[in-house]
Each structure stands twice: as structure tokens, then as C-alpha cells.
Amino acid sequence: MVKICCIGAGYVGGPTMAVIALNCPAIEVAVVDISVSRISAWNGDQLPIYEPGLDEVVKQCRGRNLFFSTDVEKHVSEADIIFVSVNTPTKTRGLGAGKAADLTYWESAARMIADVSKSNKIVVEKSTVPVKTAEAIERILTHNSKGIKYQILSNPEFLAEGTAIQDLFNPDRVLIGGRETPEGLKATQALRDVYAHWVPQDRIITTNLWSAELSKLAANAFLAQRISSVNAMSALCEATGADVSQVSHAVGKDSRIGPKFLNASVGFGGSCFQKDILNLVYICECNGLPEVANYWKQVIKVNDYQKNRFVNRVVSSMFNTVSGKKIAILGFAFKKDTGDTRETPAIDVCKGLLGDKAQLSIYDPQVTEDQIQRDLTMNKFDWDHPIHLQPMSPTTVKQVSVAWDAYAAAKDAHALCILTEWDEFKTLDYRRIFDNMQKPAFVFDGRNVVNIEMLREIGFIVYSIGKPLDPWLKNMPAVA
């Protein structure tokens, strides 16, 4: 029986291994992690991550050919194929601080694999890593090999949170990079054979190691670039009276461009986009390509500009101060159908409003109060370390309360800010919300989910990203 072990039981490792186990009943799959609480959650009724469809997949395989364990060394030593899906946070100090990936967890995983292995292994990079990581891992393993042979493969994930299970069952492509040697090609084929249980052969692409590593960074950079492009247009639309939804619809009808990732918003978030672009910038700088680095830096600059612009619009519309005013924040996750808050634009928007002394009441159907408070007190990039290594903040933000539903959040508020496009925000009883708010009542829609005309008829002053401005707002321009 082929045995697979995945080091890291997070957003990538857990769902990916569950889908492999479901589709390959003859393969034994173990997901290992040093976090006892995380493994307990994977073995319990309340899984540690929320992802539509994940529960059903895990419950069908768990205990049969899918196992979650903290006995890392045992499962690593028994495995034929080891997926490494550990954190690769952005460095906060030292060489490359603020851009380069910190490979501490990767290196310790490689050293542990070398220590406990008693048979030949295929080691698969699953987490996003900078180009040439495979070479570094290869060196660690070969210099500590004790006669054991290792093949390193790069198999980057292309999952979108909220649709990860769907993406795993029906991927656009599976990418496998390996050495173009007889042993490397054999290892590549072994991994191909796993995916071929359910993925059509023509969707399994093989490349050299470096192409696979760079393809992941490039894909995320291109997607983030589209979002920054449409968000840059949204600012111009507001200035000219154009409607960004109409513009992006017209642009997306061009078959060379296509309609995806053209929704204007308060900004992109998630665990990968900013981190991968910073990584790409660092690699460009290290390779003497400052013009290329500056090009990609601009994608992040526009994203930061969009979040700042939103905060400025809120403050300037409300008589240039939100000090002491209650503002309801609807949505804290970085997008709908996930509880993930990593790099969510809501963090920067909330911090911007708190900087002007606002009182925030936050509601998100999938994010806990503990997580919200952690995110608002944590330093940038600290989120990407394993939870037990994250600094525990003893403080909570006193100006922040967390509500159990949108109506409680909005009661007596001066304004609503919609920061996540949860479906429920489209169908709220806005008349009821208006009646219970301070007047004038504002709605700042950072995701373009509300019916602007209907809300204006109720009596709201509405700001929606990239839409023609409410007459009220025209008289109160957002200061930069």
C-alpha cells in the first residue's frame, strides 16, 4: 500500500489530503502537525477550518484511509511520498525583511525528514515557496542522507478559499515540477499516478522544478494585478461619474480578457496574494531586475491605496470625524464562504477607523471574537507563524465589540461598512436597520452588494466603490 504523509494540517494540507484519500481508497493518507489542538479539531466534530463540502469528505474517509496525528516522526518515516505544507511567512527582520520568505519551518521539516527516514522518499513542496527552495531542500537532504535517496517535486496548490473542495475535485490544472533525470521523471510519474485517479491526464502538467515554483507566484501576481487594475479604475469612475460595474462588464466581454477577477472592492486579502508578490519582488531584486520588481510593487501599492481611500471616504463623509461614533462592520473574513482573516482588508479598514477613535461593532458569520481581537492587535506578518508561535497579545481593543448578527451590530450606529460579500448582506431588512440607526445614516459598501437605489429611497446616504457618487458625497470629497 502506498503511504502518503502531509506535514502541516492547515488550509492546504487538510483539504488536499482529504480529497486524495477519498479518490484513492488504496492509499493510506496521514496528516501530521505538532499542534495538538489543531489535530484534535480535525479528529472531532468541529473541523478547524470552514470550507463548504469539507466536512462530508473528511467524515467519509477519516479512520478508514485518512488519519490526523501529532506523531509526526512515525508517519514521516513510514511514508513513500511526503507533502510539506508548512508556513512560509514573510521575514520581519534581517536580510530581505518585509519581502523575502522565511524558510525556517521548511528547513526544520527537511532536517526532520532526513533524521527519521529509513527508506527512499519523494518529498513534495505543497506550500508556496520562493523559486529555488527545492534546491535548498535537496541540499539539506542529500548532505544528511545516510544512503537514502530523495527526489524533490514541486506541486503548488491553486485553491481558492470558499471553493477549495470544488477546485480539488475539478482542478483547472495540476502542476508537477521535478528534476529532468531518470529518477526525477520516475518520481514525477508516481505523483501523476496519484492525481490520475480523478484528474484527466491532459490537466496534469509537468515542468522543471523552477518553472513549477515560479508558476505559482506568477499566477497569484497576475490575479492580484487584475484586482488592483479594476480598483484603480474604480477611483477614476467615482471621479468621472462612470459606473465601475458597467466598465468591468464591458471589458470582461473581450474574450482575450474574460470576466473573472474584475469586481471592484475595498481591496484583496488572503494568505497568498500580498505575500507572493512581495516574494516575487524580492526575487526580482536579487536577480538585478529593479524595473520588474517596481512593476509588481505597484500592485500592492494600489491595494493599500484602495483601503486608505475607503477609510478616508468614510471619515470625510461623516463631517470629517468618526471619533466616538459607532460604526457597524459587516464582514471581517477576506471573502465570503471562508472564516479566513489572513491579510483581510477589514483589518486595515478597522485600524484606520480606530485611528480616528471610532467605536466598532463587528459581525461576521464565520469569524470568532477571539480571532477579530487577535487580528486587530497583531503586528503585520505575525499571522503567518503557527498559532503556538504567534505572540499572544494580552490586550484587546476596547473600542471594538463583536455582535451576533447584522441587526445587533447596526443598532444605534452612525454608519455601516460592508467589507465581505456574504450573501446574507444582500437580503438584510435595510428598512429595519435604518429605523434603528442614528441619522443621517450611512452605508459604505466596500463590495458592491447592496441595491443602491433601494437604500437611497429608504433614506440612507450610500457610498459604493466605483459607483456614481451620492450628491451628499460630492460635496465632501475624500481627502488623500
Side-chain angles (χ1 to χ4, degrees):
M1 181 187 239
V2 173
K3 290 192 174 183
I4 288 177
C5 173
C6 177
I7 303 171
Y11 274 90
V12 175
T16 305
M17 294 304 117
V19 170
I20 287 176
L22 184 68
N23 285 294
C24 309
I27 294 177
E28 183 183 298
V29 181
V31 182
V32 297
D33 202 296
I34 54 174
S35 167
V36 175
S37 60
R38 177 168 277 191
I39 291 297
S40 300
W42 278 111
N43 283 318
D45 291 331
Q46 189 72 46
L47 299 185
I49 61 176
Y50 171 73
E51 192 63 52
L54 178 61
D55 265 39
E56 294 81 353
V57 175
V58 169
K59 282 167 186 167
Q60 278 184 70
C61 315
R62 196 171 56 192
R64 187 188 73 197
N65 69 325
L66 175 64
F67 304 94
F68 296 93
S69 170
T70 52
D71 194 343
V72 178
E73 294 186 0
K74 169 184 180 286
H75 289 288
V76 167
S77 94
E78 291 175 358
D80 305 294
I81 302 174
I82 301 166
F83 285 84
V84 184
S85 186
V86 296
N87 303 60
T88 50
T90 304
K91 286 180 77 172
T92 51
R93 53 178 65 88
L95 187 65
K99 293 192 283 271
D102 179 349
L103 295 181
T104 306
Y105 306 118
W106 245 104
E107 187 176 330
S108 61
R111 290 183 186 280
M112 182 269 296
I113 292 168
D115 283 346
V116 306
S117 292
K118 297 178 182 66
S119 57
N120 296 346
K121 310 281 185 206
I122 296 171
V123 179
V124 184
E125 296 176 340
K126 197 66 189 159
S127 38
T128 302
V129 292
V131 180
K132 300 284 183 175
T133 298
E135 197 171 77
I137 303 310
E138 223 167 32
R139 285 178 184 163
I140 291 167
L141 292 171
T142 50
H143 281 278
N144 295 278
S145 70
K146 298 174 292 201
I148 290 164
K149 292 197 164 48
Y150 298 97
Q151 283 300 320
I152 317 294
L153 300 177
S154 173
N155 174 219
E157 55 82 19
F158 294 103
L159 305 179
E161 288 182 38
T163 59
I165 297 302
Q166 206 177 304
D167 296 342
L168 284 161
F169 275 109
N170 186 26
D172 288 341
R173 78 298 207 187
V174 170
L175 181 58
I176 303 170
R179 287 284 190 196
E180 290 163 321
T181 60
E183 299 80 5
L185 294 171
K186 194 174 163 194
T188 300
Q189 189 57 48
L191 190 53
R192 274 190 85 109
D193 291 344
V194 171
Y195 284 109
H197 280 83
W198 78 98
V199 180
Q201 289 284 358
D202 63 347
R203 289 201 198 170
I204 305 174
I205 306 168
T206 54
T207 66
N208 71 32
L209 269 172
W210 324 132
S211 296
E213 288 179 336
L214 188 53
S215 294
K216 169 64 178 173
L217 297 183
N220 278 343
F222 276 50
L223 291 171
Q225 178 203 44
R226 282 176 73 97
I227 296 171
S228 281
S229 295
V230 77
N231 282 344
M233 282 295 163
S234 73
L236 186 57
C237 287
E238 288 169 31
T240 58
D243 182 329
V244 75
S245 302
Q246 295 174 355
V247 171
S248 62
H249 178 69
V251 169
K253 282 294 182 190
D254 187 321
S255 59
R256 296 165 300 176
I257 297 172
K260 292 185 176 174
F261 273 71
L262 287 181
N263 291 325
S265 69
V266 67
F268 60 71
S271 62
C272 284
F273 282 179
Q274 176 158 306
K275 186 173 83 169
D276 286 0
I277 295 171
L278 289 171
N279 209 319
L280 196 57
V281 165
Y282 183 65
I283 293 165
C284 291
E285 289 174 347
C286 290
N287 283 283
L289 301 169
E291 292 81 5
V292 182
N294 288 336
Y295 176 80
W296 290 111
K297 270 184 197 166
Q298 200 58 36
V299 173
I300 291 174
K301 279 188 179 168
V302 169
N303 196 49
D304 291 339
Y305 164 73
Q306 188 76 341
K307 291 180 282 190
N308 292 336
R309 205 168 71 76
F310 187 85
V311 172
N312 290 339
R313 184 66 81 183
V314 174
V315 176
S316 67
S317 304
M318 297 170 69
F319 313 104
N320 234 15
T321 180
V322 289
S323 179
K325 293 176 183 173
K326 178 179 176 182
I327 297 181
I329 304 291
L330 301 189
F332 197 82
F334 85 92
K335 68 176 189 178
K336 72 172 186 176
D337 294 336
T338 178
D340 194 351
T341 62
R342 293 176 292 178
E343 292 289 353
T344 175
I347 294 172
D348 286 337
V349 170
C350 289
K351 283 183 173 178
L353 294 170
L354 290 168
D356 204 70
K357 301 199 172 92
Q359 298 286 332
L360 304 184
S361 180
I362 302 174
Y363 165 68
D364 188 289
Q366 285 297 332
V367 184
T368 63
E369 177 163 10
D370 180 54
Q371 186 62 50
I372 289 169
Q373 287 286 2
R374 283 171 72 86
D375 286 332
L376 292 177
T377 51
M378 215 183 288
N379 290 329
K380 201 165 179 58
F381 303 128
D382 279 349
W383 58 266
D384 206 10
H385 292 272
I387 269 195
H388 68 287
L389 293 175
Q390 288 174 6
M392 283 306 296
S393 171
T395 58
T396 54
V397 184
K398 292 190 172 56
Q399 295 157 255
V400 172
S401 62
V402 176
W404 60 91
D405 71 7
Y407 300 104
K411 188 169 179 0
D412 294 323
H414 292 259
L416 299 182
C417 293
I418 301 172
L419 301 182
T420 312
E421 72 282 19
W422 287 101
D423 290 339
E424 67 178 82
F425 298 156
K426 296 174 187 174
T427 55
L428 293 171
D429 181 346
Y430 282 100
R431 163 61 65 189
R432 174 184 162 192
I433 286 172
F434 179 79
D435 289 344
N436 287 307
M437 282 177 68
Q438 305 278 350
K439 307 298 182 297
F442 296 86
V443 171
F444 299 95
D445 184 1
R447 295 286 180 167
N448 286 344
V449 296
V450 301
N451 180 328
I452 297 171
E453 295 316 313
M454 184 186 84
L455 262 59
R456 283 183 182 146
E457 274 174 32
I458 290 170
F460 284 105
I461 294 156
V462 184
Y463 165 72
S464 214
I465 293 260
K467 303 282 186 169
L469 292 178
D470 192 295
W472 173 287
L473 302 169
K474 282 182 182 167
N475 302 325
M476 298 198 172
V479 285

